[in-house]
Amino acid sequence: MSQWTASVGAQQLARLLDAQGGGPEARGGVTPLNGRRTPAYRSLADRVRLLVLEGRVPVAARLPAERELATALSVSRTTVAAAYEALRGEGFLESRRGAGSWTAVPAGSPLPTRALDPLPPESAGSMIDLGCAALTAPEPWLTRAFQGALEELPPYAHTHGDYPAGLPDLRRALADRYTARGIPTMPEQIMVTTGAMGAVAAIGRLLAGRGERVAVESPSYANVLQLLREAGARLVPVGMADRLGGWDLPAWRQVLRDAAPRLAYVIADFHNPTGALAPEAQRRELVETARAAGTVLVADETMTDLALEPGLDMPRPVCAFDPAGSTVVTVGSASKSFWAGLRIGWVRAAPEVIRSLVAARAYADLGTPVLEQLAVTRLLDTGGWDEAVAVRRTEVRDSRDAVVAALEARLPDWEFTVPKGGLTLWVRTGGLSGSRIAQVGERLGVRVPSGPRFGVDGAFEGYVRLPFTVTGPVADEAVSRLAEAARLVASGAPVAADAPRTFVA
């Protein structure tokens, strides 16, 4: 790492250290450890290292000067200097005269940052796949939608079939849906895309060229992180608040001020992977902060329909706090709420942004398949979407409760907070390597993504993401295999690369 891309102030770092659990060790004090007294510098170094590994302090973040941090922690400058030296020796800090010190990860460690590829359907009998947070299609609504779409297809078949902005009827239906949520929207503010990934890719191409800084939550959705990396973006991670608390607004204010990113990608509704639901006050403040910094917020709403608690009062959409449409670009999709196989996504933005996106599409994919657009239009217009999503919420809530019960019974040392919606649990693996658990688990017939896939440059090694997309005996068997993987990782025992066990639901 040759330079820092963000910075952490002395008071902010002190607050993060305190949030680890308080006590004198949080500020570099001397505490008992295994019957011995830990030097203050060692305790401080260990806690900063943990903040980096958990993604609470991003990699490539400049740390405060020794004197500033010593004042904020009420310790001696010698203590901070020794802690920084220890972190440099372990590969978690780099320094250069005149440029300060910034966080790093040890050289030579492979960083599993790519997302998991979808498991081939033919492997379903031998592997429990928890790699993808996606559900099977809801029936009979899917079949009905396509039957109706086929009836409406003939007039479109007499055209060239390319609709770069999307079918007019689908744009109208999506605009009406935003209006019904209290966000007046015209069809001219909608572009239909090939899934949410197609939407984010189009926005990135238009608004952030290669080398531009893009702020992202830490952790964040693995596939989007990889998409942005391959597009040449310089990712600036911003840690999430603890225990589903939404966004860390002081950290966001500092990053937007210091790094001045062109874009920021955020998931306010049942964040993937943590499941956090950002409160309305945070949404308003983040939009105001982004507007002042000249940063465009890309708000991913793909999980917004998956509120699992009856009567949950959902905050207003992020775009509700940007009536002029100059700061927020919203991304939506049918993939999480309905079915990923439709590959229908959309962008809601100011009309001039939509016109620019549509014009640029001539050099990308020209448009989204017509039949699938007709099917989604029919679902929205006939009430089939809402009917299917209502059933889906009940099914997902049951699956969530089954996975949680299995984890509490078989892996009581693993820590997580149960989200009120979405599809994922973000699980701390009791001090074990999430990457190693994922590796051993796949050999035992359960596939999970490790925490570093959702971070930037090696963070979140002590986590895995568990989607609650299985239930009943399948959920119990999946967690049973994870528990066996954790036991083997903890013992250091080798695992033979046998074929995965067959599971029959």
Side-chain angles (χ1 to χ4, degrees), residues 414-438:
W414 286 21
E415 301 173 39
F416 55 88
T417 303
V418 181
K420 296 180 179 179
L423 288 171
T424 58
L425 281 177
W426 185 236
V427 183
R428 191 196 302 258
T429 53
L432 301 176
S433 163
S435 299
R436 181 65 175 145
I437 288 170

Side-chain angles (χ1 to χ4, degrees), residues 8-17 48 51 57 63-64 69 84:
V8 179
Q11 293 299 329
Q12 180 186 1
L13 184 54
R15 177 171 57 84
L16 290 170
L17 290 166
V48 172
L51 287 172
V57 169
L63 294 186
L69 185 57
Y84 277 16

Side-chain angles (χ1 to χ4, degrees), residues 154-233:
Y156 297 93
H158 293 292
T159 73
H160 52 61
D162 288 332
Y163 294 85
L167 294 186
D169 281 351
L170 181 53
R171 298 176 75 194
R172 183 265 311 155
L174 290 167
D176 289 348
R177 193 165 183 83
Y178 278 103
T179 300
R181 294 171 63 192
I183 314 298
T185 303
M186 304 178 294
E188 293 79 10
Q189 291 177 262
I190 301 293
M191 182 178 83
V192 180
T193 62
T194 307
M197 292 292 289
V200 175
I203 295 165
R205 285 193 299 269
L206 178 67
L207 299 178
R210 296 190 69 85
E212 292 273 9
R213 287 175 175 158
V214 178
V216 294
E217 297 150 329
S218 184
S220 186
Y221 179 40
N223 287 336
V224 165
L225 293 180
Q226 190 61 25
L227 182 154
L228 293 171
R229 287 187 191 97
E230 294 187 354

Side-chain angles (χ1 to χ4, degrees), residues 191-399:
M191 182 178 83
V192 180
T193 62
T194 307
M197 292 292 289
V200 175
I203 295 165
R205 285 193 299 269
L206 178 67
L207 299 178
R210 296 190 69 85
E212 292 273 9
R213 287 175 175 158
V214 178
V216 294
E217 297 150 329
S218 184
S220 186
Y221 179 40
N223 287 336
V224 165
L225 293 180
Q226 190 61 25
L227 182 154
L228 293 171
R229 287 187 191 97
E230 294 187 354
R234 297 171 61 193
L235 300 184
V236 182
V238 187
M240 296 289 290
D242 283 334
R243 299 188 181 278
L244 307 189
W247 296 315
D248 184 338
L249 263 301
W252 272 102
R253 284 194 296 269
Q254 182 155 4
V255 164
L256 294 181
R257 183 188 68 234
D258 294 348
R262 181 71 183 91
L263 290 180
Y265 170 77
V266 296
I267 309 171
D269 299 327
F270 311 121
H271 176 262
N272 186 355
T274 68
L277 179 64
E280 196 162 290
Q282 289 187 4
R283 299 172 189 229
R284 178 185 291 105
E285 184 174 347
L286 185 58
V287 171
E288 292 172 353
T289 303
R291 184 183 297 117
T295 299
V296 175
L297 285 179
V298 181
D300 186 331
E301 287 192 340
T302 53
M303 295 281 194
T304 194
D305 280 339
L306 293 175
L308 303 183
E309 299 301 331
L312 178 63
D313 187 15
M314 287 291 291
R316 285 181 290 171
V318 176
C319 60
F321 305 101
D322 180 40
S326 61
T327 300
V328 178
V329 176
T330 301
V331 170
S333 170
S335 295
K336 303 301 184 184
S337 303
F338 197 83
W339 187 47
L342 283 171
R343 305 311 311 141
I344 296 293
W346 55 86
V347 178
R348 181 201 179 275
E352 59 270 22
V353 174
I354 294 298
R355 287 193 293 270
S356 297
L357 287 169
V358 171
R361 201 167 188 182
Y363 310 102
D365 60 0
L366 289 176
T368 302
V370 169
L371 187 63
E372 283 77 359
Q373 291 190 71
L374 288 171
V376 174
T377 304
R378 191 171 184 85
L379 285 166
L380 293 173
D381 283 347
T382 64
W385 179 282
D386 291 331
E387 293 173 7
V389 168
V391 173
R392 176 77 88 202
R393 290 190 186 113
T394 300
E395 294 172 345
V396 174
R397 184 166 58 249
D398 291 344
S399 297

Side-chain angles (χ1 to χ4, degrees), residues 443-444 494-499:
R443 295 180 182 177
L444 297 176
V495 181
D498 298 328

